[in-house]
Amino acid sequence: MRKKLVAGNWKMHGNLAENAALLSALKPALAGIEAVVCVPFPYLAQAQAALAGSSIAWGAQNVSEQAKGAFTGEVSAAMLLDFGCRYVIVGHSERRSLYGETDELVASKYMAAQAAGLTPILCVGESLAERESGVTEAVVARQLDAVIKAAGVASLARAVVAYEPVWAIGTGKTATPEQAQAVHAFIRGKIAALDAGVADGLVIQYGGSVKAANAAELMAQPDIDGGLIGGASLVADEFIAICQAAAK
Ligand code: PGA
């Protein structure tokens, strides 16, 4: 049985005081429940100090595809590891759309993360226009294929995939459990055609306006193995309830 995994994506939110309050609320409430918080780079040390020894892992929201060198403003996977990160989000739709990250660049970041021993949370998902023109599966397949081509299907045994329909991110408009399940099943089926064992063990999170109120019905779907949570991960009670719904 796959274990469900919920990860928070704080995006560019927080400060030392707010983070301290949030983390100290999460830690006792989630004791024994595996969860992840992906925090802004400057707060990795804070997350490490607050969460070490707890069941909550921490990670980053982006990573350089380069190992080291003259890449001003970039952060390497080894640096993330230095701060105890276990996870890093790669290919979030905001990175793809606002910062021009291509499928190939995302694949390079995914490989850099794995080479350092981090677990990439690989985000895929279609825009509203793509869904309306019926190419959802083609878009998700293309995004996955770039990674499979570069890193091989076996690499997915050391990764998490997050299906995040772009139209559902931060909009309050969640995919219905049936809509999400259909794409999750498509993703698992596509990978199963290449490697059934990898597909069976792969954690596929759903992301896009997940909140305490809709988490249980999403998590009840057979191919939804947790969530990647944006806005609601900044609210302790919301994030705790989502993690608890997934752990049930
Ligand atoms: P949201 O964001 O939960 O605020 O919709 C999800 C994400 O972008 O990962």
Side-chain angles (χ1 to χ4, degrees), residues 124-128 131 136 140 162-185 187 205-211 213-221 224 226-229:
V124 298
E126 82 289 359
S127 67
L128 184 59
R131 172 160 287 260
T136 295
V140 168
Y163 167 60
E164 299 201 301
V166 178
W167 48 272
I169 295 176
T171 57
K173 205 172 145 189
T174 321
T176 65
E178 294 72 27
Q179 280 175 323
Q181 165 59 26
V183 181
H184 282 237
I187 292 170
Q205 298 175 323
Y206 168 78
S209 299
V210 178
K211 30 191 189 293
N214 60 23
E217 55 173 1
L218 286 162
M219 303 300 162
Q221 299 299 313
I224 299 184
L228 183 56
I229 319 299

Side-chain angles (χ1 to χ4, degrees), residues 6-185:
V6 173
N9 172 11
W10 289 7
K11 309 194 180 184
M12 198 171 72
H13 292 291
N15 57 49
L16 286 171
E18 284 175 12
N19 303 346
L22 178 53
L23 293 172
S24 65
L26 298 184
K27 203 170 144 178
L30 296 180
I33 298 181
E34 237 184 272
V36 185
V37 289
C38 293
V39 309
F41 294 132
Y43 301 123
L44 285 171
Q46 183 185 24
Q48 181 177 33
L51 298 175
S54 79
S55 62
I56 308 172
W58 56 96
Q61 303 165 17
N62 185 23
V63 65
S64 174
E65 76 282 11
Q66 304 287 348
K68 61 151 66 169
F71 303 103
T72 301
E74 292 292 286
V75 173
S76 73
M79 294 171 185
L80 300 182
L81 210 63
D82 240 356
F83 285 88
C85 289
R86 278 180 45 204
Y87 295 89
V88 61
I89 297 170
V90 298
H92 190 278
S93 70
E94 286 151 18
R95 301 292 322 167
R96 293 178 189 263
S97 68
L98 302 173
Y99 299 96
E101 293 193 5
T102 62
D103 293 335
E104 289 66 35
L105 179 60
V106 172
S108 299
K109 292 182 174 213
Y110 170 102
M111 286 196 293
Q114 286 196 334
L118 296 168
T119 300
I121 299 176
L122 170 67
C123 299
V124 298
E126 82 289 359
S127 67
L128 184 59
E130 288 164 340
R131 172 160 287 260
E132 285 175 344
S133 56
V135 295
T136 295
E137 291 186 355
V139 168
V140 168
R142 189 201 74 222
Q143 292 170 332
L144 287 170
D145 280 337
V147 166
I148 293 169
K149 182 173 164 223
V153 69
S155 74
L156 288 166
R158 292 172 288 120
V160 169
V161 170
Y163 167 60
E164 299 201 301
V166 178
W167 48 272
I169 295 176
T171 57
K173 205 172 145 189
T174 321
T176 65
E178 294 72 27
Q179 280 175 323
Q181 165 59 26
V183 181
H184 282 237

